[in-house]
Amino acid sequence: KPGEQKHPKEPSSLQCMHLAVVACGDRLEETLIMLKSAVLFSNRRLCFHIFAEDSLKPEFEKKLKEWPSSYTKKFESNIYPITFSVGNAQEWKKLFKPCAAQRLFLPVILKDVDSLLYVDTDVLFLRPIDDIWHLLREFNSSQLAAMAPEHEMPKIGWYSRFARHPYYGTAGVNSGVMLMNLTRIRSARFKNSLIPGGLTWEEMLYPLYQKYKNYITWGDQDLLNIIFYFNPECLYVFPCQWNYRPDHCMYGSNCRGAEEEGVSILHGNRGVYHDDKQPTFRALYEVIRDFPFEDNLFQSLYYPLQSKFLDTVHTLCGRIPQVFLKQIEKTMKKVYENRVIVYLGANHRY
């Protein structure tokens, strides 16, 4: 209408929840199962940023196209080569696992992305990404990234017992699930042990690596711990149910948040999806992997999971199946209600 004020359209980068992953070597299947878990439960549109070796690119494109259109319309995907903007690429590649250091360069490479959730390939979402995305709103003015603690109990934590370099807090943080405000990271100056005046993120990475490379065990995660040791005010720490690992149950249950709310994001590190050490983790991975997209979530996902869990009750993690099932059950009920009840409501006026 004449004189009516038009609201500018939200830029597409804000309409999306951005999810980044780095996949090299034999991580194709694991990455696809992680992306599948993201698409199954999330509400808002997703933008995938997949950093992969050249040989994996055609495979990713092919497999993602095979998903049914009811799901492919929920996301867009971009596949990037592995690149390191500063320092020696071969050195970065050798850090911990091939390509893992790529995540350190996301603020530099994805210049047009405001905020991002980075996850390792061995992560599974048991509730909508929307829920962890909302934590960005809880950042105070100095916080620019969020991670979960590496351990809940310093006396059995890795960093508190073995680290030969500075680390965040009393037990360090785990970088397998990392929420980032990239705009803030790009504009911040970070305190460090090198230059008193502070350095930008990109300026800091290589000198910091050079200084500590003989003392770090877990590669890029150690570098992030060093960065946030010097800049603790920049980090928002979210609770363990957002990055739930075998360590949280294999020594007895030590993640209270998961006991109360259920696991929100499962992180099957130590290769537990592919061996017999933690059958509870493996059961979740296999059920999501084998779930036919268009099937009923309860019939083809939840019930098989319950029956697989019965075989794991002899293990420490298997003793607490409700921790693994609580959030996924809640999520599936919501998905079911959205699909069925909303549909019925639209067709039946009571």
Side-chain angles (χ1 to χ4, degrees):
K1 290 173 190 173
E4 192 177 272
Q5 202 174 1
K6 281 189 178 172
H7 292 286
K9 267 186 82 174
E10 192 183 36
S12 61
S13 64
L14 295 175
Q15 293 167 343
C16 252
M17 296 182 294
H18 293 269
L19 178 66
V21 64
V22 179
C24 284
D26 59 357
R27 297 302 182 103
L28 176 80
E29 183 195 74
E30 222 175 56
T31 307
L32 287 164
I33 309 308
M34 178 277 289
L35 297 173
K36 182 180 183 180
S37 73
V39 169
L40 278 179
F41 301 130
S42 292
N43 302 314
R44 268 175 66 190
R45 186 170 174 74
L46 292 160
C47 285
F48 296 150
H49 301 275
I50 303 164
F51 290 81
E53 289 169 310
D54 295 344
S55 58
L56 293 179
K57 185 178 177 182
E59 282 296 298
F60 271 115
E61 287 172 341
K62 178 174 166 273
K63 297 282 186 195
L64 290 171
K65 277 185 188 138
E66 287 169 3
W67 290 3
S69 61
S70 55
Y71 285 94
T72 54
K73 68 183 184 195
K74 288 175 72 176
F75 69 88
E76 60 186 66
S77 59
N78 298 290
I79 303 171
Y80 309 81
I82 303 292
T83 49
F84 303 98
S85 60
V86 291
N88 180 319
Q90 289 313 309
E91 271 192 283
W92 285 121
K93 275 187 182 167
K94 279 188 240 156
L95 182 64
F96 190 43
K97 287 180 181 164
C99 313
Q102 180 71 74
R103 90 180 86 183
L104 297 171
F105 295 89
L106 297 178
V108 183
I109 298 166
L110 300 174
K111 287 185 164 53
D112 298 327
V113 176
D114 174 61
S115 294
L116 177 85
L117 176 64
Y118 164 86
V119 294
D120 285 348
T121 60
D122 52 10
V123 154
L124 291 170
F125 294 95
L126 305 186
R127 67 190 285 183
I129 289 187
D130 310 61
D131 297 339
I132 190 168
W133 195 255
H134 288 154
L135 295 180
L136 285 162
R137 295 183 198 156
E138 294 188 18
F139 284 17
N140 67 26
S141 57
S142 65
Q143 289 165 338
L144 44 74
M147 287 184 270
E150 171 64 23
H151 221 287
E152 306 313 299
M153 299 155 75
K155 66 174 185 283
I156 54 172
W158 194 91
Y159 285 106
S160 38
R161 290 185 298 159
F162 306 117
R164 294 156 60 213
H165 59 77
Y167 57 88
Y168 178 87
T170 56
V173 280
N174 183 282
S175 60
V177 179
M178 186 177 178
L179 197 57
M180 292 185 263
N181 183 322
L182 299 184
T183 303
R184 286 187 181 182
I185 290 173
R186 284 187 286 263
S187 60
R189 292 195 78 79
F190 293 87
K191 298 189 289 291
N192 57 81
S193 55
L194 306 160
I195 290 174
L199 290 165
T200 67
W201 184 267
E202 191 174 15
E203 288 167 346
M204 171 177 61
L205 290 178
Y206 196 60
L208 207 60
Y209 165 64
Q210 287 297 325
K211 176 166 182 177
Y212 291 103
K213 66 179 176 185
N214 297 325
Y215 305 100
I216 58 182
T217 305
W218 306 112
D220 48 311
Q221 176 171 295
D222 290 349
L223 285 177
L224 289 164
N225 267 284
I226 294 164
I227 290 168
F228 290 112
Y229 166 83
F230 289 108
N231 301 273
E233 72 287 352
C234 293
L235 192 66
Y236 176 100
V237 179
F238 49 68
C240 47
Q241 65 265 32
W242 293 104
N243 185 348
Y244 190 91
R245 283 156 278 130
D247 288 21
H248 289 119
C249 51
M250 62 196 265
Y251 308 113
S253 182
N254 61 32
C255 174
R256 187 173 294 161
E259 288 171 21
E260 290 166 3
E261 280 186 34
V263 175
S264 296
I265 295 179
L266 193 76
H267 184 183
N269 62 344
R270 306 173 188 262
V272 293
Y273 296 148
H274 313 291
D275 61 29
D276 298 323
K277 289 180 184 153
Q278 298 298 339
T280 322
F281 281 73
R282 186 170 178 167
L284 262 158
Y285 178 80
E286 288 177 350
V287 165
I288 292 174
R289 178 194 68 196
D290 299 340
F291 172 69
F293 273 105
E294 303 285 23
D295 272 22
N296 176 293
L297 278 166
F298 277 100
Q299 254 172 338
S300 302
L301 202 148
Y302 188 69
Y303 298 137
L305 198 52
Q306 279 186 314
S307 60
K308 272 193 182 228
F309 274 9
L310 291 174
D311 300 332
T312 73
V313 290
H314 61 287
T315 67
L316 275 167
C317 294
R319 282 183 203 173
I320 46 170
Q322 69 285 0
V323 165
F324 295 89
L325 290 169
K326 194 181 282 188
Q327 198 55 244
I328 201 167
E329 182 179 10
K330 207 164 147 187
T331 299
M332 281 197 279
K333 278 185 175 151
K334 271 191 196 156
V335 171
Y336 178 77
E337 282 164 12
N338 288 347
R339 285 189 194 159
V340 178
I341 295 161
V342 171
Y343 174 79
L344 285 173
N347 289 291
H348 296 85
R349 301 274 175 238
Y350 297 106

